Amino acid sequence: MTAEILQLSDLHLFCEAGTLLRGVPTGQSLEQVLELIEERAARCERIVLTGDLAHDELPATYLQLRERLTAGNLLEKCLLLPGNHDSRTGMRAAFPRQTDRCELLPAPRCDSLSRDEQPVLFAVAAGGWHLWGLDSHIPGEVCGRVSDPVTDWLEEGLQQHPEVPAAIFLHHPPVVTGSPWLDRLGLLEPERLLAVLQAAPQVRLVCCGHIHQDWGTVRGTTRILSAPSTCVQFSGSSSTPEYEHLPPGVRLLDLGPEDFSTRTLRLPELRFPPDPA
């Protein structure tokens, strides 16, 4: 049994059509990416969106995204996580069934937190694998953090299912990427999360976004990967913010019973070159 998973990340959508981010109309860019993956999306098992869905964080922007995914018959396959640009309240209002899909283990109780502060999580089965989605959003901050209750929740779930291969999804990479300016904006205090992952050899994959590029590394027996953005691409080696002249794309994951394969799919050309300014 295998499962095909599509990871989309860093959509940076705006409510007002045609709004540009670094010269890219993010809504049009996403539309082209969805057209590119139309056939794969129709047959894949899950579509995971790893954050920064709405650059303007407006409720109407999430509703527009919902309408597009519904029109493409994709909505029921989607699992969503927030990025640093997102609003948990806006996400939950537009996507009540696609957030908090904790089918393997009930979400942790965080009674002291408001509704907007409650982490958005998922834990579902797919093709003999378990997919775990972690919330790394800190309201008003670019950096991220996976809270202790969420880390405890993940640890408990992995301990309950040691024989099932697992893939973890979150917005912020849990390790340094080698890009100084991006690493300054990464996951804060990742040590506890990394210790949980290291203690769970069934975790084969960690898939993140945030850094707008096709990047990967290996930590122990786990591959850590990022997905390209569906709009603007970042340079992976600069000490200051720089942008790559590369087309938007997505990550494709084929999860098999013994192993997995992965690659990125991109538009054939960059139709909206980044603003050099």
Side-chain angles (χ1 to χ4, degrees), residues 139-188:
E141 299 291 339
V142 179
C143 295
R145 177 182 283 110
V146 178
S147 67
D148 286 342
V150 170
T151 306
D152 292 342
W153 172 79
L154 174 65
E155 183 176 34
E156 180 181 353
L158 293 174
Q159 289 175 349
Q160 288 183 9
H161 304 281
E163 77 289 352
V164 181
I168 313 297
F169 295 84
L170 73 165
H171 182 68
H172 294 82
V175 296
V176 296
T177 67
S179 178
W181 76 275
L182 288 170
D183 289 335
R184 289 194 295 270
L185 306 174
L187 194 69
L188 301 175

Coordinates of all heavy atoms in Angstrom, one line a residue, residues 139-188:
P139 N 1.9 34.2 17.4 CA 1.2 35.5 16.9 C 2.1 36.7 17.0 O 2.8 37.0 18.0 CB 0.0 35.6 17.9 CG -0.3 34.2 18.4 CD 1.1 33.6 18.5
G140 N 2.2 37.4 15.8 CA 3.0 38.6 15.8 C 4.4 38.4 15.6 O 5.2 39.4 15.5
E141 N 4.9 37.2 15.5 CA 6.3 36.9 15.3 C 6.6 36.2 14.0 O 5.8 35.4 13.5 CB 6.8 36.0 16.5 CG 6.7 36.7 17.9 CD 7.6 37.9 18.1 OE1 8.6 38.0 17.4 OE2 7.2 38.7 18.9
V142 N 7.9 36.3 13.5 CA 8.3 35.6 12.3 C 8.9 34.3 12.7 O 8.7 33.3 12.0 CB 9.3 36.4 11.5 CG1 9.8 35.6 10.3 CG2 8.7 37.8 11.1
C143 N 9.6 34.2 13.8 CA 10.1 33.0 14.3 C 9.0 32.1 14.8 O 7.8 32.5 14.9 CB 11.1 33.2 15.5 SG 12.6 34.1 15.1
G144 N 9.3 30.8 14.9 CA 8.3 29.9 15.4 C 8.7 29.1 16.7 O 9.8 29.2 17.1
R145 N 7.7 28.4 17.2 CA 8.0 27.6 18.4 C 6.9 26.4 18.4 O 5.8 26.7 18.2 CB 7.9 28.4 19.7 CG 8.1 27.5 20.9 CD 8.1 28.3 22.2 NE 9.3 29.1 22.5 CZ 9.3 30.4 22.4 NH1 8.3 31.1 22.0 NH2 10.5 31.1 22.6
V146 N 7.4 25.2 18.7 CA 6.4 24.1 19.0 C 6.3 24.0 20.5 O 7.3 23.8 21.2 CB 6.9 22.8 18.4 CG1 6.0 21.7 18.7 CG2 7.0 22.9 16.9
S147 N 5.2 24.3 21.0 CA 5.0 24.4 22.5 C 5.2 23.0 23.2 O 5.1 21.9 22.5 CB 3.6 24.9 22.8 OG 2.6 23.9 22.4
D148 N 5.4 23.0 24.5 CA 5.6 21.8 25.2 C 4.4 20.9 25.1 O 4.5 19.7 25.0 CB 5.9 22.1 26.7 CG 7.4 22.6 26.8 OD1 8.2 22.4 25.9 OD2 7.7 23.2 27.9
P149 N 3.1 21.4 25.3 CA 2.0 20.5 25.1 C 1.9 19.8 23.8 O 1.5 18.6 23.7 CB 0.8 21.4 25.4 CG 1.3 22.5 26.2 CD 2.7 22.7 25.7
V150 N 2.3 20.5 22.7 CA 2.2 19.9 21.4 C 3.3 18.9 21.3 O 3.1 17.8 20.7 CB 2.4 21.0 20.3 CG1 2.6 20.3 18.9 CG2 1.1 21.9 20.3
T151 N 4.5 19.2 21.8 CA 5.6 18.2 21.8 C 5.3 17.0 22.6 O 5.5 15.8 22.2 CB 6.9 18.8 22.3 OG1 7.2 20.0 21.6 CG2 8.1 17.9 22.1
D152 N 4.6 17.1 23.7 CA 4.2 16.0 24.6 C 3.2 15.2 23.8 O 3.2 13.9 23.8 CB 3.6 16.5 25.9 CG 4.6 17.2 26.8 OD1 5.8 16.9 26.6 OD2 4.1 17.9 27.7
W153 N 2.3 15.8 23.1 CA 1.2 15.1 22.3 C 1.9 14.3 21.2 O 1.5 13.1 21.1 CB 0.3 16.2 21.7 CG -0.7 15.7 20.7 CD1 -1.9 15.1 21.0 CD2 -0.6 15.9 19.3 NE1 -2.6 14.8 19.8 CE2 -1.8 15.3 18.8 CE3 0.3 16.5 18.5 CZ2 -2.1 15.3 17.4 CZ3 0.0 16.5 17.1 CH2 -1.1 15.9 16.6
L154 N 2.8 14.9 20.5 CA 3.5 14.1 19.5 C 4.3 12.9 20.1 O 4.2 11.8 19.5 CB 4.5 15.0 18.7 CG 5.4 14.3 17.7 CD1 4.5 13.8 16.5 CD2 6.4 15.3 17.2
E155 N 5.0 13.1 21.2 CA 5.7 12.1 21.8 C 4.8 10.9 22.2 O 5.1 9.7 21.9 CB 6.5 12.6 23.0 CG 7.4 11.6 23.7 CD 8.1 12.2 24.8 OE1 7.6 13.1 25.5 OE2 9.3 11.7 25.1
E156 N 3.7 11.2 22.8 CA 2.7 10.2 23.2 C 2.2 9.4 22.0 O 2.1 8.2 22.0 CB 1.5 10.8 23.9 CG 0.5 9.8 24.4 CD -0.7 10.4 25.1 OE1 -0.6 11.6 25.4 OE2 -1.6 9.7 25.4
G157 N 1.9 10.1 20.9 CA 1.4 9.5 19.7 C 2.4 8.6 19.1 O 2.1 7.4 18.6
L158 N 3.7 9.0 19.0 CA 4.7 8.2 18.4 C 5.0 7.0 19.3 O 5.3 5.9 18.8 CB 6.0 9.0 18.3 CG 5.9 10.2 17.2 CD1 7.2 11.0 17.3 CD2 5.7 9.6 15.8
Q159 N 4.9 7.1 20.6 CA 5.1 6.0 21.5 C 4.0 4.9 21.4 O 4.3 3.7 21.5 CB 5.3 6.5 22.9 CG 6.6 7.2 23.2 CD 6.6 7.8 24.6 OE1 5.6 7.8 25.3 NE2 7.8 8.3 25.0
Q160 N 2.8 5.4 21.0 CA 1.7 4.5 20.9 C 1.8 3.7 19.6 O 1.2 2.6 19.5 CB 0.4 5.2 20.9 CG 0.0 5.8 22.3 CD -1.4 6.4 22.3 OE1 -2.1 6.4 21.3 NE2 -1.7 7.1 23.4
H161 N 2.5 4.2 18.6 CA 2.6 3.5 17.3 C 4.0 3.4 16.8 O 4.4 3.9 15.7 CB 1.7 4.4 16.3 CG 0.3 4.6 16.7 ND1 -0.7 3.7 16.5 CD2 -0.3 5.7 17.2 CE1 -1.8 4.1 17.0 NE2 -1.6 5.4 17.4
P162 N 4.9 2.7 17.5 CA 6.3 2.6 17.2 C 6.5 1.9 15.9 O 7.6 2.0 15.3 CB 6.9 1.9 18.4 CG 5.8 1.1 18.9 CD 4.5 1.9 18.7
E163 N 5.6 1.0 15.4 CA 5.8 0.2 14.3 C 5.3 0.9 13.0 O 5.6 0.3 11.9 CB 5.0 -1.1 14.4 CG 3.5 -1.1 14.2 CD 2.8 -0.3 15.3 OE1 3.4 0.0 16.3 OE2 1.5 -0.1 15.1
V164 N 4.7 2.0 13.0 CA 4.1 2.7 11.9 C 5.1 3.8 11.4 O 5.3 4.7 12.2 CB 2.7 3.3 12.2 CG1 2.1 3.9 10.9 CG2 1.8 2.2 12.7
P165 N 5.5 3.8 10.1 CA 6.4 4.9 9.7 C 5.6 6.2 9.7 O 4.4 6.3 9.5 CB 6.7 4.5 8.2 CG 5.7 3.5 7.8 CD 5.3 2.8 9.1
A166 N 6.3 7.3 10.1 CA 5.7 8.6 10.4 C 6.4 9.7 9.6 O 7.6 9.7 9.4 CB 5.7 8.9 11.9
A167 N 5.5 10.6 9.2 CA 6.0 11.9 8.5 C 5.5 13.0 9.4 O 4.3 13.1 9.7 CB 5.5 12.0 7.1
I168 N 6.3 14.0 9.7 CA 6.0 15.1 10.5 C 5.9 16.4 9.6 O 6.8 16.6 8.8 CB 7.0 15.4 11.6 CG1 7.3 14.1 12.4 CG2 6.5 16.5 12.6 CD1 6.2 13.4 13.1
F169 N 4.9 17.2 9.8 CA 4.8 18.4 9.0 C 4.7 19.6 9.9 O 4.0 19.6 11.0 CB 3.5 18.4 8.1 CG 3.6 17.3 7.0 CD1 3.2 16.0 7.3 CD2 3.9 17.7 5.7 CE1 3.2 15.0 6.3 CE2 4.0 16.7 4.8 CZ 3.6 15.4 5.0
L170 N 5.4 20.7 9.6 CA 5.3 22.0 10.3 C 5.8 23.1 9.4 O 6.4 22.8 8.4 CB 6.0 21.9 11.6 CG 7.6 21.9 11.7 CD1 8.1 22.3 13.1 CD2 8.2 20.6 11.2
H171 N 5.6 24.3 9.8 CA 6.0 25.4 9.0 C 7.5 25.7 9.1 O 8.2 25.8 8.0 CB 5.2 26.7 9.3 CG 5.5 27.9 8.4 ND1 5.2 27.9 7.1 CD2 6.1 29.0 8.7 CE1 5.6 29.1 6.6 NE2 6.2 29.8 7.5
H172 N 8.0 25.9 10.3 CA 9.4 26.3 10.5 C 10.3 25.1 10.5 O 10.0 24.1 11.2 CB 9.5 27.0 11.8 CG 8.8 28.3 11.8 ND1 7.5 28.4 12.1 CD2 9.2 29.6 11.7 CE1 7.1 29.7 12.1 NE2 8.2 30.5 11.8
P173 N 11.4 25.1 9.8 CA 12.4 24.0 9.9 C 12.9 23.9 11.3 O 13.2 24.9 11.9 CB 13.5 24.4 8.9 CG 12.9 25.4 8.0 CD 11.8 26.1 8.8
P174 N 13.0 22.6 11.8 CA 13.5 22.4 13.1 C 15.0 22.4 13.3 O 15.5 22.2 14.4 CB 12.9 21.1 13.5 CG 12.9 20.3 12.2 CD 12.6 21.4 11.1
V175 N 15.7 22.6 12.2 CA 17.2 22.6 12.2 C 17.7 23.8 11.4 O 16.9 24.4 10.6 CB 17.8 21.3 11.7 CG1 17.5 20.1 12.5 CG2 17.4 21.1 10.2
V176 N 18.9 24.2 11.6 CA 19.5 25.3 10.7 C 19.6 24.8 9.3 O 19.9 23.6 9.0 CB 20.8 25.8 11.3 CG1 20.7 26.4 12.7 CG2 21.9 24.6 11.3
T177 N 19.5 25.7 8.4 CA 19.5 25.4 7.0 C 20.7 25.9 6.2 O 20.9 25.5 5.1 CB 18.3 26.0 6.3 OG1 18.4 27.5 6.3 CG2 17.0 25.7 7.0
G178 N 21.6 26.6 6.9 CA 22.8 27.2 6.3 C 22.6 28.5 5.7 O 23.6 29.1 5.1
S179 N 21.4 29.1 5.7 CA 21.2 30.4 5.2 C 21.0 31.3 6.5 O 20.0 31.3 7.2 CB 19.9 30.5 4.4 OG 19.6 31.8 4.0
P180 N 22.0 32.2 6.7 CA 22.0 32.9 8.0 C 20.8 33.8 8.2 O 20.3 33.8 9.4 CB 23.3 33.8 7.9 CG 24.2 33.0 7.0 CD 23.3 32.4 6.0
W181 N 20.3 34.5 7.2 CA 19.1 35.3 7.5 C 17.9 34.5 7.7 O 17.0 34.9 8.5 CB 19.0 36.3 6.3 CG 18.4 35.8 5.1 CD1 19.0 35.2 4.1 CD2 17.0 35.9 4.7 NE1 18.1 34.9 3.0 CE2 16.9 35.3 3.4 CE3 15.8 36.4 5.3 CZ2 15.7 35.2 2.7 CZ3 14.6 36.4 4.6 CH2 14.6 35.8 3.3
L182 N 17.7 33.4 7.1 CA 16.6 32.5 7.3 C 16.7 31.8 8.7 O 15.7 31.7 9.4 CB 16.4 31.5 6.2 CG 15.9 32.1 4.9 CD1 16.1 31.0 3.8 CD2 14.5 32.6 5.0
D183 N 17.9 31.4 9.0 CA 18.0 30.7 10.3 C 17.8 31.6 11.5 O 17.4 31.1 12.6 CB 19.4 30.1 10.4 CG 19.6 28.9 9.5 OD1 18.6 28.3 9.1 OD2 20.8 28.6 9.0
R184 N 18.0 32.9 11.3 CA 17.6 33.8 12.4 C 16.1 33.9 12.6 O 15.7 34.4 13.7 CB 18.2 35.2 12.1 CG 19.7 35.3 12.2 CD 20.2 36.8 12.3 NE 19.9 37.4 11.0 CZ 20.8 37.5 10.0 NH1 22.0 36.9 10.1 NH2 20.5 38.1 8.9
L185 N 15.4 33.4 11.6 CA 13.9 33.5 11.7 C 13.3 32.2 11.8 O 12.1 32.0 11.4 CB 13.4 34.2 10.4 CG 14.0 35.6 10.1 CD1 13.5 36.1 8.8 CD2 13.6 36.6 11.2
G186 N 14.0 31.2 12.3 CA 13.6 29.8 12.3 C 12.8 29.4 13.6 O 12.2 30.2 14.2
L187 N 12.9 28.1 13.9 CA 12.2 27.6 15.1 C 13.0 27.8 16.3 O 14.2 27.4 16.4 CB 12.0 26.1 14.8 CG 11.0 25.4 15.8 CD1 9.6 25.8 15.4 CD2 11.1 23.9 15.6
L188 N 12.4 28.4 17.3 CA 13.0 28.7 18.6 C 13.0 27.5 19.5 O 12.1 26.7 19.5 CB 12.3 29.9 19.3 CG 12.3 31.2 18.6 CD1 11.4 32.2 19.3 CD2 13.7 31.8 18.3

